[in-house]
Amino acid sequence: MVAPLLCRNFAVELHCVPAYTFNAVDNGHRYDQVYHLNDEVVQPSTLHTVRVISRTDDRVTTTCILTASGGTTGIHENSAVVHDDSLVIAVGPFIVSLQLPSLEINWKTQTDQATCFGIYHSSKHRCYLSHGELEIARLSYQGKVEWTHGGADIYANKFTLSENRVEAIDWNNDVYVWDIATGRAV
C-alpha cells in the first residue's frame, strides 16, 4: 500500500486485490460500489479497491472496487492523483475519475490498448498525462484524449514530466520527448 492521498478532511486508501470473487458469500470485504470498466463481461486482470476515510473520526465513509481486463496495473506513488474533489486513477488500460468522497464515476477513458502504468497531473497545462505500456496520452480534465503517441516498443522504462515536456523511454532505451501543450515531438 502507498501512503493515503488527502482531499480536504478525507484520506483515500488504494489497494491492489489479486483475487476477489464477485457475489461470493464468503468474501472478507464488501464494497459500496463495484465498477467493471470493460464494456463486455470479462475476467479482470486488475482489481483496485478505494476506501475513503474521514480524517476527523477515522471512519470509512465509502468504498469501491474497480476492475478491468488487459494488462495488470499495480498500486504505487503514480497510480493515482487527487485533483480538486476527484481521484484520478489508472486501472488496467483505463484512466478513471471518481468524485470524492462519494466515489461515483465522473468519467472513464481507455488510454492504452494494454495497460496504464501511471497517471500524472500538469496544473500548468490543465491536463493529465497517462503513462501507458503502448501509448503516452494527454487527457483533459473531462477525460477527453487530446493527443496520444506510440513508440517503436513498449514504454517500460523511465517516464518524466517536467514543466513543459514529457519524456518516455521504451524497452529499447529509445527516448521520446513531447511538448505537453501541443503533443509535438521535441
Side-chain angles (χ1 to χ4, degrees), residues 55-56 61-62 74 81 85 93 96 102 121 134 146-147 156-157 160 162:
R55 292 171 63 192
T56 56
T61 63
T62 317
V81 296
D85 288 332
V96 182
S102 69
H121 178 222
L134 303 174
E146 297 176 328
W147 57 255
N157 291 322
T160 308
S162 63

Side-chain angles (χ1 to χ4, degrees), residues 9 15 35-36 40 44 48 55 58 63-64 70 105 107 111 113-114 125 128 146 152 163 178-179:
N9 57 339
H15 297 272
Y35 298 119
H36 302 284
E40 70 279 356
H48 291 333
R55 292 171 63 192
D58 289 330
T63 62
C64 78
I105 290 183
W107 51 262
T111 59
Q113 296 173 34
H125 296 282
Y128 306 114
E146 297 176 328
E163 185 176 353
W178 302 281
D179 179 84

Side-chain angles (χ1 to χ4, degrees), residues 10-164:
F10 298 101
V12 180
E13 288 184 354
L14 308 173
H15 297 272
C16 191
V17 181
Y20 182 81
T21 305
F22 294 94
N23 302 320
V25 294
D26 61 345
N27 278 332
H29 298 284
R30 299 269 184 247
Y31 301 98
D32 299 325
Q33 292 148 57
V34 177
Y35 298 119
H36 302 284
L37 302 176
N38 297 87
D39 292 332
E40 70 279 356
V41 177
V42 293
Q43 179 63 37
S45 56
T46 298
L47 296 99
H48 291 333
T49 63
V50 180
R51 292 180 357 139
V52 177
I53 301 165
S54 168
R55 292 171 63 192
T56 56
D57 61 8
D58 289 330
R59 180 179 52 87
V60 175
T61 63
T62 317
T63 62
C64 78
I65 187 166
L66 300 151
T67 74
S69 65
T72 302
T73 300
I75 296 292
H76 51 81
E77 67 183 52
N78 296 310
S79 297
V81 296
V82 169
H83 175 232
D84 290 339
D85 288 332
S86 296
L87 172 72
V88 183
I89 183 169
V91 183
F94 295 94
I95 300 296
V96 182
S97 172
L98 300 170
Q99 184 66 36
L100 291 173
S102 69
L103 297 180
E104 293 178 21
I105 290 183
N106 295 320
W107 51 262
K108 69 173 185 172
T109 303
Q110 184 170 346
T111 59
D112 198 271
Q113 296 173 34
T115 195
C116 296
F117 296 134
I119 184 71
Y120 299 78
H121 178 222
S122 172
S123 56
K124 176 180 179 179
H125 296 282
R126 301 184 46 75
C127 68
Y128 306 114
L129 291 134
S130 168
H131 172 199
E133 182 176 4
L134 303 174
E135 298 181 71
I136 306 300
R138 174 187 159 139
L139 287 87
S140 71
Y141 284 163
Q142 294 74 39
K144 179 181 178 240
V145 175
E146 297 176 328
W147 57 255
T148 184
H149 291 288
D153 207 331
I154 62 173
Y155 293 115
N157 291 322
K158 189 175 176 184
F159 181 90
T160 308
L161 180 66
S162 63
E163 185 176 353
N164 294 307

